[in-house]
Amino acid sequence: MKSSAYATKPTRVTRWLRVFIPWQVIRFIVLNWKIIQITRRNEHLS
Amino acid sequence: MARVVVLGAGVSGHTAAAFLRRWLRAEDEVVVVSPKPDYNWLPSNIWVGLGRMQPNDVLIPLAQIYKRHGIIFKQAKALSLYPEGSDKLDQPHVKIESTLAEGAAAQELLTYDYLINATGPKLNFAATEGLGPSGNSLSVCTADHAQEAAHTFLDHVAAMKRGARRRFVVGTGHGTCTCEGAAFEYVVNLEFELRRHKVREQAEVVYLSNEYELGDFGMGGAHIRRNGYITPTNIFTESLFAERGIEWIIRSHVTKVEPSRIFYQTLSGEEYELPFDMAMLLPPFSGVGLDAFDKMGTNISSRLFAPSGFMRVDAAYSAKPYDQWKASDWPRSYQSSEYSNIFAAGIAFAPPHAISQPHYTATGVPIFAAPPRTGMPSAMIGKAVAHTIADRIRGVERAPHMASMSELGAACVASAGADLVHGSAASMTVFPIVQDYDRYPEYGRDLNFTVGEIGLAGHWLKLLLHYLFMYKARLLPGWTLIPE
C-alpha cells in the first residue's frame, strides 16, 4: 500500500473554506458558470 | 413513415429517443427496446450503495413516460441484427426477446429504417473469478446491486458500533476496468459515512485500482491550475485520500476474489493477497454480445463489432503506438462503419484506443484504465445521433451532427460526503475529454475549462444535478431547457 506521508494535505484554512457557506456560494456560482460554458461549447459542436 | 429503433434506455438511448420523438413527424415511429422497465440515473447509485437513497430515488418507470410522449416501448432484449434483412423478412430488422414476466422468451422481428445501438455495457463479472454480487464482492453498477451493497455496509456499521474492526476495499475488479471515477466516489463517500456513524476509528479503508496513477480516471489524468501551480490530478486525488486516511494500491489487476480475500498482481509482476470484510469492486465492461447476420445468414459480427463486443463506428481503428494517437482518431458521427442506417451511441461504440497510456506486465497482462463515457458525453452523443437521423428522415441535406469526445467537454461531480452543511464533493471539468495535443500542445486540454476543486459547493451541485436530470428524464414540461 502507498504511504500517504508524502501527499499534499490541506491547511486548516483550506478545510474551513471548503465548508464556509458564503465562500461556497461563490464557488457554486463559479462552478455552474464553468459547466454552462462547457455545455454551450458542446452544443455549438453538434 | 419511418421507424427508428433504439436499443437501450440508458442516458444515451433515452436522450436519443426523446429528441427523435420531438424532431420527427407524427407518422414516424420511435421504438425503444430495453430489457429493464426503468431508467436508472446511474451517478446517484453511489448514494443508494451507502443507504443514503433508495432504488426508487434513482429509477424512473419508462412505460408511462413513453406512452405519454408517443414513443413505443418494448421491454425486451435484443438478440441479433439483420442489417440486410433475412430469409424471413426483406427489411433490415432486429430479433428481440421479451423480458416481461407474462411474455417471457416471446421473440419478435422488429424492422427498422434506422437503428441506434445504445445498449450500454455488459457487466463482465466473469472476467475475474469470484467477482461480483453472485460471487464474493459487491457492485454499485445497478440500483439492485447498490441496494445490496448498502445492506452489507450497514450490517458492518452495526457490528463496528458493537466494537468490531473492519477493512473495506473499494476499486476495480480487473486490470482493464473503466469508471474509476465511480469507485473513487464510492470510497470517499463510504469514508464519510463511517465518520457520520462515528465508527471511522475501527475501519481501514483501501482503494485498489488499475490506474497507473491516482486520478487517472481512464482519461490519462488531467492538469489543473491551483494556487499558482499547474497540478496533475494525481496530486489532487492523493491529497484527498491522505486527508481522509484512505490507503491506496494502484497498477493492480485483480485475479481472483475469495469470500474474504482478494488476489491481485501488480504491473511489476508481483502477486499479493488482500483480506477484506467488504469489497466493492467494479467489473470490466464489454459489448452486450449482439450477433449480426447478412442476407445469406452468414455471421458478420466481426465486421460490425470490435473484439470487445462494442460497435465499430467512424473511428480510426488501425493499431498504432501510443505516441501516434491523435484526437482525430475518435469518432464524430457514430455511424456504423458498415451500414449507414446504424449508429452506436454512449458506451456501445468501440473506442479507437484507450485515452490513458497502456501498460502491460512482463507477461503481457494489460493493467490500465479503459476510456470512460460519462453521462454528459453519452447524452451529447445520443442527441447528435438523433439529430442526424431526424435530418435524414425529413430530407434535410446536411452533414452528420458531430459529438467527438476529443471536442466535447465533460463535468464530473464526485460526491465526497452527502450533507447539505458538512458534505463535500470533488468537482471536475475537462475540455476536451480526449486530449488534443495539436490544439493544446502542452497539456492536451484547455486549462481555462479544466478545473478541479473540493468543497461543499460540489455537493450542492451534485444534488442539483440529481434532481434536474431526474426531472429531465421524466420528460416533464421544459425538459429540453435542461442541457445534456
Side-chain angles (χ1 to χ4, degrees):
Chain A
M1 270 176 237
K2 286 259 183 151
S3 164
S4 60
Y6 297 103
T8 310
K9 287 182 186 162
T11 60
R12 272 180 64 183
V13 173
T14 301
R15 290 204 309 268
W16 174 74
L17 277 173
R18 285 178 184 171
V19 289
F20 179 53
I21 288 177
W23 176 241
Q24 288 303 311
V25 169
I26 295 168
R27 297 314 301 164
F28 182 73
I29 294 164
V30 170
L31 283 168
N32 271 287
W33 182 81
K34 292 269 183 195
I35 291 173
I36 288 166
Q37 294 301 307
I38 285 177
T39 53
R40 275 191 185 164
R41 277 182 158 201
N42 289 350
E43 291 286 345
H44 177 70
L45 178 70
S46 67
Chain B
M1 187 206 94
R3 177 187 283 167
V4 185
V5 172
V6 183
L7 303 179
V11 171
S12 203
H14 185 61
T15 303
F19 277 105
L20 277 166
R21 186 62 284 163
R22 185 175 169 81
W23 291 330
L24 289 178
R25 302 160 301 194
E27 65 265 31
D28 298 321
E29 282 185 357
V30 179
V31 184
V32 174
V33 178
S34 174
K36 293 179 183 169
D38 304 307
Y39 172 88
N40 182 191
W41 176 242
L42 288 167
S44 298
N45 280 8
I46 297 298
W47 289 334
V48 177
L50 292 161
R52 295 304 299 263
M53 277 191 177
Q54 295 304 310
N56 282 345
D57 297 324
V58 297
L59 295 174
I60 301 172
L62 288 168
Q64 280 190 336
I65 294 170
Y66 285 162
K67 190 176 177 186
R68 201 172 66 235
H69 287 268
I71 296 169
I72 299 163
F73 179 54
K74 291 183 181 285
Q75 193 186 318
K77 63 178 177 184
L79 299 176
S80 44
L81 304 182
Y82 301 86
E84 300 166 6
S86 67
D87 56 352
K88 294 190 179 69
L89 266 175
D90 279 341
Q91 279 180 280
H93 58 272
V94 53
K95 186 193 279 184
I96 62 172
E97 184 177 87
S98 172
T99 56
L100 285 167
E102 62 270 29
Q107 294 188 350
E108 182 185 349
L109 301 181
L110 186 62
T111 60
Y112 63 81
D113 295 289
Y114 288 90
L115 179 77
I116 301 177
N117 173 18
T119 45
K122 172 186 169 189
L123 305 175
N124 192 14
F125 291 109
T128 302
E129 186 183 341
L131 181 69
S134 58
N136 303 309
S137 62
L138 298 158
S139 149
V140 290
C141 294
T142 69
D144 289 343
H145 288 177
Q147 190 177 33
E148 187 184 347
H151 289 154
T152 307
F153 172 71
L154 293 172
D155 286 347
H156 285 302
V157 167
M160 285 190 287
K161 284 183 176 171
R162 295 191 297 269
R165 291 191 65 79
R166 291 289 185 267
R167 176 186 274 172
F168 298 88
V169 180
V170 175
T172 54
H174 192 272
T176 61
C177 282
T178 183
C179 280
E180 287 77 9
F184 163 83
E185 194 170 2
Y186 191 74
V187 78
V188 288
N189 260 281
L190 182 142
E191 193 277 335
F192 179 87
E193 288 299 310
L194 291 172
R195 274 187 280 137
R196 196 174 69 84
H197 286 288
K198 304 192 190 317
V199 291
R200 180 65 182 93
E201 294 302 314
Q202 289 134 266
E204 190 181 350
V205 184
V206 181
Y207 181 71
L208 174 69
S209 173
N210 61 342
E211 293 159 286
Y212 191 75
E213 295 286 356
L214 277 185
D216 179 286
F217 298 132
M219 53 177 193
H223 286 82
I224 49 180
R225 282 202 191 103
R226 281 173 70 82
N227 303 326
Y229 289 86
I230 292 171
T231 312
T233 41
N234 69 315
I235 302 287
F236 177 80
T237 315
E238 283 179 8
S239 171
L240 203 139
F241 280 8
E243 181 192 349
R244 287 160 173 75
I246 300 171
E247 294 172 281
W248 64 88
I249 301 165
I250 52 173
R251 304 175 191 178
S252 66
H253 163 59
V254 173
T255 53
K256 187 176 168 186
V257 186
E258 288 188 348
S260 58
R261 197 174 296 251
I262 295 166
F263 294 81
Y264 68 95
Q265 70 177 125
T266 60
L267 202 52
S268 53
E270 291 148 342
E271 302 203 347
Y272 296 95
E273 292 178 27
L274 180 65
F276 67 88
D277 296 293
M278 172 179 159
M280 197 297 286
L281 298 174
L282 299 175
F285 292 169
S286 67
V288 294
L290 278 176
D291 275 323
F293 298 91
D294 69 7
K295 183 92 176 170
M296 308 302 293
T298 308
N299 192 315
I300 54 167
S301 304
S302 61
R303 279 168 46 200
L304 261 77
F305 299 99
S308 59
F310 295 121
M311 187 171 265
R312 292 178 192 277
V313 289
D314 61 323
Y317 289 111
S318 55
K320 50 187 169 184
Y322 174 72
D323 59 2
Q324 290 176 26
W325 289 359
K326 290 277 184 191
S328 54
D329 296 340
W330 285 75
R332 305 186 80 205
S333 73
Y334 301 89
Q335 181 176 304
S336 160
S337 52
E338 294 288 325
Y339 297 95
S340 61
N341 62 343
I342 298 180
F343 293 79
I347 294 177
F349 82 85
H353 43 65
I355 304 174
S356 301
Q357 184 170 0
H359 294 276
Y360 298 86
T361 65
T363 56
V365 177
I367 304 182
F368 60 93
R373 275 151 286 177
T374 57
M376 190 185 259
S378 290
M380 287 303 299
I381 293 167
K383 186 178 179 183
V385 166
H387 217 157
T388 301
I389 292 173
D391 278 356
R392 289 187 188 173
I393 291 173
R394 291 181 310 185
V396 178
E397 297 215 0
R398 161 159 84 180
H401 292 265
M402 307 296 184
S404 171
M405 283 175 57
S406 63
E407 294 168 54
L408 288 176
C412 183
V413 185
S415 168
D419 188 287
L420 278 173
V421 179
H422 303 290
S424 71
S427 310
M428 272 193 74
T429 63
V430 289
F431 194 95
I433 301 163
V434 177
Q435 306 99 317
D436 185 345
Y437 287 101
D438 291 331
R439 280 179 75 191
Y440 309 106
E442 206 166 359
Y443 299 107
R445 296 194 176 96
D446 183 343
L447 294 193
N448 291 321
F449 292 97
T450 301
V451 300
E453 68 174 65
I454 301 161
L456 180 59
H459 174 66
W460 296 340
L461 192 56
K462 172 103 184 168
L463 209 56
L464 176 72
L465 293 176
H466 170 87
Y467 289 110
L468 273 180
F469 286 115
M470 290 296 280
Y471 183 92
K472 184 181 172 85
R474 289 188 177 99
L475 308 182
L476 291 169
W479 67 270
T480 54
L481 299 174
I482 301 169
E484 273 53 59

